[in-house]
Amino acid sequence: MVDEAITDIERQLPELPTRLSAEEFRRHPSIVGAIPDAAISEAVERVLRNRDGAPYRVAELLYAMAIHGRNDNRPGWPGALAVLNWLQARHPGVQPSQQRGQVADQHWPRLAVPHRMDWRPEKVMKRDERTPDFEIRQLRKGVHAALWGRQDADAKALMIAHLVLSDIRGQRIVQSTQISASVLAHLRRVDDVGYLRWATIVKKIRGIREFADEAADLIHAPSPRLLVTQNWRRWARA
């Protein structure tokens, strides 16, 4: 697939704007041009789209969420509606199913102001029954990966780590599945794209219809939102 994408890009080179700036020429005299990153991502998406089979559809979704899901310094997808619109443009025959029953209003507690949580679990029980030490940095790193390229990713990851610690408070040994479920619940309150990235892995989504249902549920039955305040931004920078 990489070779196909390279061939596709090479075919487009005569039409691509590959000029370097004067400063770039000065710093890199041996380079004659630069390929726009958008041309690379579009070629990869085309290669994935031309493959048959559910695994390629999920791979295409994950790749698209990594590229179009960035909105930290570019106009990427703002939320679930943009994701669902992209999905239905790519696959017009896919329509999300209706949820059964009605979703009642849910009152969530407000998130406290930032403060250091001195308590930590001691161990994490993995699915293979290993029990490594609990590492708060590892938790934040995992959440940050789901939020990569999203606006206020550092502050959001810190907020979610804070909420997860509140959920598992007082437990000396916690299961990794507890942590994953808690992260999933709180990502849903903070960032749609981060939630969909995490849900695709944790819920083992294997097809675009399942993914469409997940995105539609965010639109029709959203969780109450948590806003990133300046205090959380300052604490994340510190």
Side-chain angles (χ1 to χ4, degrees):
M1 286 191 288
V2 170
D3 288 342
E4 285 185 36
I6 291 172
T7 301
D8 189 355
I9 294 165
E10 287 175 339
R11 206 164 33 236
Q12 298 178 63
L13 279 177
E15 289 79 35
L16 289 176
T18 59
R19 295 179 182 176
L20 298 178
S21 67
E23 175 62 18
E24 287 169 330
F25 267 126
R26 186 185 66 77
R27 292 170 54 195
H28 307 286
S30 62
I31 297 177
V32 297
I35 299 170
D37 59 352
I40 297 172
S41 61
E42 287 167 7
V44 173
E45 284 187 58
R46 276 193 294 271
V47 170
L48 287 168
R49 193 160 58 249
N50 290 335
R51 288 291 200 281
D52 291 327
Y56 291 108
R57 299 289 71 76
V58 175
E60 182 189 4
L61 287 171
L62 289 170
Y63 186 82
M65 282 196 290
I67 301 301
H68 303 295
R70 294 192 62 183
N71 68 350
D72 50 354
N73 57 7
R74 62 181 72 186
W77 292 335
L81 183 59
V83 179
L84 191 59
N85 287 341
W86 177 90
L87 183 66
Q88 292 178 323
R90 287 284 193 272
H91 306 280
V94 175
Q95 295 296 327
S97 57
Q98 294 279 337
Q99 274 198 7
R100 286 180 286 182
Q102 295 183 348
V103 179
D105 290 337
Q106 185 175 3
H107 298 287
W108 293 68
R110 294 182 63 184
L111 183 60
V113 295
H115 66 276
R116 178 177 173 81
M117 295 188 71
D118 293 322
W119 177 86
R120 302 281 189 276
E122 294 178 9
K123 299 285 184 180
V124 178
M125 175 70 76
K126 299 285 190 178
R127 292 187 180 183
D128 59 6
E129 297 187 354
R130 290 183 300 112
T131 54
D133 292 341
F134 176 85
E135 295 284 349
I136 187 66
R137 288 184 181 180
Q138 193 67 24
L139 173 60
R140 285 183 65 183
K141 182 180 177 182
V143 177
H144 197 278
L147 293 165
W148 180 81
R150 302 295 293 166
Q151 191 173 22
D152 288 322
D154 291 337
K156 288 175 179 176
L158 182 63
M159 287 168 62
I160 290 169
H162 182 99
L163 288 162
V164 170
L165 286 177
S166 296
D167 285 348
I168 60 178
R169 189 178 185 87
Q171 300 178 59
R172 195 170 298 180
I173 300 177
V174 294
Q175 291 188 330
S176 58
T177 50
Q178 282 181 274
I179 296 173
S180 291
S182 179
V183 170
L184 192 67
H186 296 304
L187 270 172
R188 205 176 195 277
R189 302 181 64 192
V190 171
D191 191 282
D192 287 354
V193 173
Y195 169 83
L196 288 169
R197 288 171 176 170
W198 191 275
T200 303
I201 305 303
V202 172
K203 294 189 176 185
K204 298 181 180 179
I205 291 174
R206 294 291 180 263
I208 55 174
R209 191 173 300 279
E210 293 174 71
F211 185 88
D213 287 346
E214 205 70 51
D217 290 346
L218 285 171
I219 298 167
H220 301 303
S223 297
R225 282 290 174 180
L226 279 175
L227 300 179
V228 180
T229 64
Q230 194 60 37
N231 284 337
W232 285 100
R233 294 189 185 100
R234 279 197 294 266
W235 198 26
R237 287 195 298 267

